[in-house]
């Protein structure tokens, strides 16, 4: 599931963002490669752009600024520091009961 492997474009397809170096922009694909966020779990994905899923990608661009984006692995990790803890709970406490205007009519 590459952008165009036959054409030498080895960036992984992603519904969350894939870099197109020839146009210097990010695009959204209809599917996500299973290689997104399935690399070595002991390696830091810090060099991948956010949203980097909290795990390095497999492939030529895994661990680089051109890595395809993916969903963050920990849903409750609101500050995306890799752990669900009181800091995340504090974010919820600060924003507790906020709502969008369109919700007020329901
Ligand atoms: Ca990743
Ligand atoms: Ca956190």
């Amino acid at each position: 599931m590459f952008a165009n492997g036959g054409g030498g474009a080895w960036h992984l397809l992603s519904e969350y963002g894939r870099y197109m170096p020839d146009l210097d922009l990010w695009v959204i694909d209809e599917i996500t490669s299973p290689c997104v966020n399935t690399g070595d779990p002991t390696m830091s994905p810090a060099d991948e752009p956010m949203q980097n899923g909290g795990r390095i990608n497999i492939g030529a661009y895994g661990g680089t600024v051109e890595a395809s984006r993916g969903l963050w692995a920990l849903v409750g990790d609101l500050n995306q520091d890799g752990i669900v803890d009181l800091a995340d709970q504090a974010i919820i406490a600060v924003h507790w009961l906020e709502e969008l205007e369109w919700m007020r009519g329901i």
Side-chain angles (χ1 to χ4, degrees):
M1 294 187 174
F2 299 110
N4 181 5
W10 300 105
H11 291 81
L12 301 175
L13 295 176
S14 174
E15 300 159 271
Y16 310 100
R18 168 179 51 85
Y19 184 63
M20 291 184 68
D22 49 337
L23 299 175
D24 190 28
L25 57 81
W26 290 81
V27 297
I28 304 296
D29 298 306
E30 293 184 6
I31 55 175
T32 298
S33 166
C35 292
V36 170
N37 299 340
T38 52
D40 185 341
T42 66
M43 296 180 69
S44 171
D47 290 336
E48 295 185 356
M50 293 300 272
Q51 170 111 298
N52 66 27
R55 185 167 169 176
I56 199 168
N57 297 356
I58 292 174
Y61 297 100
T64 74
V65 295
E66 295 187 21
S68 296
R69 295 174 177 152
L71 282 180
W72 194 252
L74 302 172
V75 174
D77 185 14
L78 299 178
N79 63 1
Q80 298 185 344
D81 65 354
I83 185 170
V84 179
D85 60 12
L86 285 175
D88 302 299
Q89 198 167 18
I91 293 170
I92 292 174
V94 167
H95 298 282
W96 186 252
L97 295 179
E98 286 181 343
E99 63 184 18
L100 298 173
E101 282 191 40
W102 61 269
M103 285 294 294
R104 294 182 187 138
I106 296 177

